[in-house]
Amino acid sequence: MRVARKQAEDRHKASEARRAETEWAEAAARASVQRGAVLQREARERVHRREAEERARREIEADHAAVQARYKEELAAHHRRIAEDARQLARERLLRRQAGLPPPDAPPQPPPPPPPP
C-alpha cells in the first residue's frame, strides 16, 4: 500500500510540476507577445515621427526656395529698372546733343536693391 501511495504521490507531484511548467511557459509566451506588441508600437511611432520630420523639412526647404525665387525676381526687376533708366538717360543725352542743348542735370540715384531674405 505504501508503494501505491508513493506512486500516487509521485504522479501527483509530476502532474503539478507539468502544470506549473505549462503555466510558466504560457506566462512567458504572453509576456513575449506583449513585448513584441510594444516593440511594434514603438517602431510605428518612430516611423510616423520620422515621416513628420521629413514632411516638415521638405516644407521648410520649399518655403526657403520660394523666398529665394521671389528675391531673385525682385532683384532682376530692380536691375531691369536700372537698365531702363540708363537707356532712357542715354537717349535723352543723345537727343540733347543732336539738338545742340547742354546735357541734362545729374540723374536721380536709383533706389537701393531689395534686401536679401
Side-chain angles (χ1 to χ4, degrees), residues 7-108:
Q7 288 176 342
E9 285 178 7
D10 288 345
R11 283 192 305 271
H12 181 69
K13 284 181 183 177
S15 175
E16 287 294 318
R18 282 191 304 273
R19 186 169 46 76
E21 186 177 325
T22 302
E23 288 175 359
W24 180 88
E26 288 173 350
R30 280 192 301 275
S32 177
V33 167
Q34 289 172 346
R35 279 193 306 272
V38 167
L39 291 174
Q40 283 181 336
R41 186 179 67 246
E42 289 173 351
R44 280 193 305 271
E45 289 171 356
R46 281 192 305 273
V47 166
H48 290 309
R49 189 172 42 251
R50 272 196 303 262
E51 289 172 348
E53 290 169 354
E54 181 64 21
R55 277 192 307 274
R57 186 186 61 76
R58 282 193 305 265
E59 288 175 7
I60 289 170
E61 288 175 353
D63 290 346
H64 180 72
V67 167
Q68 290 292 329
R70 277 194 306 274
Y71 175 71
K72 285 181 181 180
E73 290 172 9
E74 290 174 6
L75 190 59
H78 177 73
H79 289 157
R80 283 191 301 271
R81 284 190 299 273
I82 291 173
E84 182 56 37
D85 290 347
R87 282 191 294 273
Q88 180 65 31
L89 182 60
R91 274 193 297 267
E92 287 179 23
R93 284 187 176 159
L94 177 64
L95 291 174
R96 290 178 79 82
R97 209 171 338 148
Q98 288 175 346
L101 299 172
D105 294 334

